[in-house]
Amino acid sequence: MSAKKYKVKLCDRKYIKDFIETWHYSKNINGLKSNFCFGLFNNNNLIGAMIYGQIAMANVWKKYVQKENQLIELRRLCCIDKTLKNTESYFIGYTLRWLKKNTEYVKVISYADTDYNHQGIIYQASNFKFKGMTNKGKVIVYNNKIYHDKTIRTKYKGKLKPYAKKIKEALDNGRAYYKDTLGKKIYIYELKK
């Protein structure tokens, strides 16, 4: 059987939120900007989810494209453990073709988190090109979820977002902590030459 039997659908972020927070290693989508969300279905059962959104790191786009709105980031990708061979590459391939046909983005960037022994094999299988490593950094661990260290500075209309305030308080009272990271592998896919 082929992974092509699965159906990919554009969907609402709310629809895939719990799935990603269950199946993705970060267990988290707080603060994640999402332009496009996709679900992967087997007989109407959600078995995979993916989020593309604005790039997380300011000014990274300058290394890869001429304008910020030409680069989008594959922010989350996860599937249940038991899927057919090549499911993730089929899922990625479908969404890349969709982006190419329906958007003006020129390139997609994604990262493989070496802290979780992710090497980017699925990106390589999907024709992404390896572009090097990010610098080592820090993340915040709170309630077994991982947050970028800029989380505690996330504002809306000039005020800290409620979850940012909550995590900052947890850091202050010791319920959350900083963890050093090794850096991530950077991968780029060209949608348009």
Side-chain angles (χ1 to χ4, degrees), residues 74 92 96 108 110 123-124 126-130 187-189:
L74 195 169
I92 290 172
L96 291 173
V108 175
S110 198
Y123 299 130
Q124 294 168 31
S126 301
N127 295 317
F128 280 70
K129 301 293 181 226
F130 176 67
Y187 287 92
I188 292 284
Y189 182 87

Side-chain angles (χ1 to χ4, degrees), residues 34-89:
S34 51
N35 296 43
F36 307 103
C37 299
F38 294 90
L40 181 68
F41 297 86
N42 183 23
N43 297 323
N44 292 321
N45 295 315
L46 185 64
I47 62 166
M50 193 178 316
I51 295 176
Y52 287 92
Q54 292 174 308
I55 54 174
M57 302 303 292
N59 298 318
V60 165
W61 64 270
K62 292 178 181 178
K63 295 179 186 176
Y64 305 107
V65 292
Q66 293 177 349
K67 298 176 186 171
E68 188 173 5
N69 65 358
Q70 293 177 321
L71 182 67
I72 193 165
E73 184 176 338
L74 195 169
R75 303 297 306 272
R76 293 288 187 274
L77 165 64
C78 58
C79 293
I80 63 171
D81 290 336
K82 293 184 180 183
T83 57
L84 295 172
K85 185 177 181 182
N86 301 323
T87 293
E88 288 177 326
S89 56

Side-chain angles (χ1 to χ4, degrees), residues 167-183:
I167 293 168
K168 189 170 183 339
E169 288 170 4
L171 275 171
D172 292 343
N173 64 31
R175 291 182 296 127
Y177 60 92
Y178 283 103
K179 177 184 166 190
D180 292 330
T181 60
L182 298 172

